Amino acid sequence: MLRKIIQIDADKCNGCGLCVHACHEGAIGMVDGKAKLLRDDYCDGLGDCLPACPTGAISFTVREAAAYDAAAQAVRGCPGGQARSIKSPEQEAGQGSTMKQKNGSQESDRLSALQETEAGSGEKQSVSQLRQWPVQIKLAPLEAPYFQDASLLIAADCTAYAYGEFHRDFIRGRIALVGCPKLDMVDYAEKLAEIFRRNEIRDVTVVRMEVPCCGGIEQAVKKALQNSGKSLPWKVVTISIDGKILSANA
C-alpha cells in the first residue's frame, strides 16, 4: 500500500542510536554502525524518531510499504504498553452486588467500601477513575474499543499534579490521554487526528496549565480536529500553577 513512512539518510547518520531508543515500535536498528529501518510494518509513520536525530538524517517519504501491523506491536511490545480497559468502581460494585444477592451475603456494598475507605489520617481516600491503559499520547493505540462513543480527555502532564481533584473532576467518565509537547518534542496533531478519524469520539476536553509552553497541547488538539474532518464538541480548561481553574472555554 502507498503510505507515509520514514527514511534514513545513511550519509547524514552519525551512528548515535538515539532514534533506535525513540522508536517505541522497534522499527529501527543499528546495522554496520548506521541506523536503518528494519521493518516497514513496524513503522507507524508518526515520526517519534525525527526529533531525536541530531543530524537531520530522518525524514518522511510516501512510498509503497507494508501496512503498519498494530496487532504485532501489541504482542511484541512492552506488556506495560499494551492497550487494556480498566473496570470502574461502579462496574466492580455491580459485580459485587450480584454475588451478594446470589449468596445472600450481608456484606456492605462494594462501591461504598471503595469510596468510603479511610486513609491513615482519617481522610477519605480518592478512588482512581482511570478507565484505560496506556495514557501517554505517544503510546496510545490508534484504535481501541474504549475509544468508541468516548468522552476524551487530553491533558498536559502537570495538570494532574497541580489540580488536587483531577480524577474526580476530569478523568471520571472520560478516556484520558496525557502528554507534554515541550518535553516530548513531538507534534501530537497527526496522531490525535488519526484517533479522531478512526473512532467515534463523542467530545473532547483539553486540560492545560497556564504556562505558555502548555499551549502546544491545545494547538495540537485544535489542528487535529481540523485535519480529522470531524466536527466534535470540545473545550479547554486552564489550570493555574497553584491548582485553581482559571478558565473553561468551549
Side-chain angles (χ1 to χ4, degrees):
M1 63 180 295
L2 190 67
R3 71 180 183 94
K4 185 166 73 171
I5 196 167
I6 67 149
Q7 61 181 1
I8 303 173
D9 186 334
D11 292 334
K12 291 183 179 179
C13 177
N14 65 1
C16 68
L18 292 175
C19 58
V20 176
H21 298 290
C23 179
H24 301 292
E25 290 75 23
I28 303 174
M30 299 301 295
V31 177
D32 296 329
K34 297 283 187 176
K36 183 177 180 180
L37 178 61
L38 301 178
R39 292 188 55 160
D40 288 0
D41 59 340
Y42 279 12
C43 177
D44 60 10
L46 295 173
D48 286 349
C49 54
L50 267 69
C53 180
T55 64
I58 306 175
S59 60
F60 283 122
T61 187
V62 176
R63 63 170 174 82
E64 286 291 333
Y68 174 61
D69 193 343
Q73 286 299 318
V75 172
R76 69 164 294 279
C78 169
Q82 294 181 19
R84 67 191 74 180
S85 297
I86 302 171
K87 289 182 179 179
S88 68
E90 288 83 359
Q91 290 172 322
E92 292 185 349
Q95 290 181 348
S97 177
T98 300
M99 291 299 295
K100 178 171 65 179
Q101 292 173 6
K102 288 181 179 180
N103 300 328
S105 171
Q106 298 302 312
E107 64 179 309
S108 60
D109 182 81
R110 169 68 170 160
L111 179 58
S112 296
L114 283 169
Q115 293 179 331
E116 299 298 328
T117 299
E118 299 291 326
S121 62
E123 297 179 353
K124 291 180 182 178
Q125 283 186 330
S126 297
V127 177
S128 174
Q129 299 295 327
L130 191 64
R131 299 282 67 84
Q132 101 292 339
W133 186 266
V135 296
Q136 287 290 334
I137 297 172
K138 290 178 67 174
L139 300 180
L142 297 178
E143 296 178 77
Y146 50 71
F147 280 139
Q148 299 306 319
D149 197 34
S151 289
L152 191 61
L153 170 68
I154 301 176
D157 285 343
C158 297
T159 54
Y161 294 95
Y163 189 75
E165 296 297 339
F166 192 81
H167 274 251
R168 184 195 68 188
D169 293 351
F170 294 115
I171 296 182
R172 186 174 185 176
R174 297 184 176 97
I175 295 300
L177 296 178
V178 302
C180 176
K182 185 175 180 67
L183 296 182
D184 285 348
M185 294 186 296
V186 62
D187 183 3
Y188 300 129
E190 186 170 355
K191 183 167 189 178
L192 291 174
E194 196 63 27
I195 290 174
F196 296 153
R197 275 192 291 265
R198 296 192 185 194
N199 304 278
E200 294 302 320
I201 304 296
R202 187 188 310 166
D203 53 65
V204 180
T205 298
V206 180
V207 183
R208 53 160 295 184
M209 296 297 296
E210 64 175 322
V211 294
C213 58
C214 218
I217 201 161
E218 178 180 345
Q219 293 304 312
V221 173
K222 182 178 181 180
K223 181 179 177 182
L225 286 169
Q226 292 172 341
N227 293 344
S228 71
K230 291 188 175 181
S231 179
L232 301 177
W234 72 297
K235 66 178 180 180
V236 179
V237 180
T238 303
I239 307 294
S240 67
I241 58 176
D242 58 352
K244 297 181 177 65
I245 293 179
L246 295 179
S247 64
N249 303 317

